């Protein structure tokens, strides 16, 4: 192993970090690697992404629940912290559970891992095509959204949830499909 820790800027990983994930048999994370637990992490990540996207419709939800100002701020703050923590935590654990294969460069993976990663990317981007289609339908037929609005339905939460989904989709597909990682 080289003494230098090469940084793969386009993938956002380092050689040392990737090698540690690929070869780590740390018992602390062993519970994450079973297929059942990986699927639970995928579901938690998806729930978090959906809840983040619902932030775009918070003004509509607020009026439907008849919340006053103090209660509204408290509920929004607690919910936002919980949802962001859930989404980022589930993605972080998911990345460890799949040993970072979805984010690793070709030169650090063997042939089987490259093939598994590439097929996961293919299915992830096919799934994202359907998600984008669903978002377009929601934009046309759902409540009106505008970007970065202090009042009304703010579409920026939907954009953030879409970015979370694009970033996590390859790891989610990999975690769901593979038996042994």
């Amino acid at each position: 192993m080289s003494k230098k820790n090469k940084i793969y800027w386009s993938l956002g990983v380092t050689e040392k970090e990737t090698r540690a994930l690929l070869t780590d048999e740390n018992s602390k994370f062993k519970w994450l690697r079973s297929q059942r637990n990986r699927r639970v992490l995928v579901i938690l990540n998806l729930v978090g992404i959906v809840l983040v996207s619902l932030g775009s419709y918070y003004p509509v939800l607020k009026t439907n629940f008849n919340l006053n100002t103090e209660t509204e701020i408290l509920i929004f703050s607690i919910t936002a912290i919980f949802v962001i923590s859930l989404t980022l935590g589930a993605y972080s654990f998911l990345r460890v559970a799949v040993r970072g294969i979805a984010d690793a460069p070709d030169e650090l993976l063997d042939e089987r891992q490259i093939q598994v990663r590439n097929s996961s990317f293919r299915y992830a981007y096919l799934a994202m095509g359907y998600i984008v289609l669903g978002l377009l339908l929601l934009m046309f037929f759902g409540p009106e959204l505008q970007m970065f609005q202090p009042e009304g339905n703010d579409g920026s939460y939907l954009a953030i949830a879409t970015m979370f989904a694009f970033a996590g989709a390859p790891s989610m597909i990999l975690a769901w499909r593979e038996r042994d990682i």
Side-chain angles (χ1 to χ4, degrees):
M1 185 161 127
S2 67
K3 291 185 179 190
K4 245 182 139 169
N5 188 16
K6 185 174 179 182
I7 299 173
Y8 298 93
W9 292 104
S10 63
L11 300 172
V13 297
T14 64
E15 181 179 3
K16 186 177 180 181
E17 169 195 15
T18 304
R19 285 193 192 279
L21 279 174
L22 290 172
T23 60
D24 189 21
E25 289 299 326
N26 191 340
S27 61
K28 183 169 58 172
F29 297 116
K30 196 171 199 162
W31 64 276
L32 288 173
R33 298 211 167 96
S34 72
Q35 189 177 28
R36 180 180 156 267
N37 291 345
R38 284 185 280 126
R39 286 183 174 183
V40 168
L41 287 172
V42 169
I43 291 168
L44 285 175
N45 201 9
L46 288 173
V47 166
I49 289 170
V50 168
L51 290 175
V52 168
S53 68
L54 286 178
S56 290
Y57 299 105
Y58 179 71
V60 172
L61 295 172
K62 175 177 67 173
T63 56
N64 289 341
F65 289 126
N66 295 326
L67 299 175
N68 63 22
T69 307
E70 295 86 24
T71 309
E72 168 196 342
I73 293 171
L74 180 67
I75 289 175
F76 182 75
S77 301
I78 291 172
T79 304
I81 290 169
F82 173 73
V83 168
I84 296 297
S85 299
L86 172 73
T87 306
L88 293 177
Y91 175 70
S92 298
F93 280 131
L94 187 63
R95 191 167 176 272
V96 170
V98 297
R99 297 181 183 270
I101 292 173
D103 303 322
D106 284 346
E107 65 189 61
L108 299 178
L109 299 175
D110 62 22
E111 292 84 13
R112 179 192 169 279
Q113 290 171 330
I114 292 171
Q115 183 181 11
V116 167
R117 186 209 45 207
N118 290 346
S119 73
S120 294
F121 267 94
R122 179 179 180 273
Y123 287 118
Y125 289 119
L126 286 173
M128 293 313 293
Y130 289 113
I131 289 174
V132 169
L133 175 66
L135 290 174
L136 288 173
L137 291 173
L138 185 63
M139 283 176 48
F140 289 131
F141 300 115
E144 181 182 350
L145 292 175
Q146 295 183 1
M147 297 299 282
F148 310 112
Q149 295 298 313
E151 300 294 325
N153 294 334
D154 182 11
S156 61
Y157 293 103
L158 203 54
I160 292 168
T162 304
M163 287 187 278
F164 280 158
F166 268 99
S171 291
M172 288 189 286
I173 298 289
L174 182 65
W176 193 269
R177 289 181 58 216
E178 288 298 306
R179 272 194 200 281
D180 297 320
I181 292 182

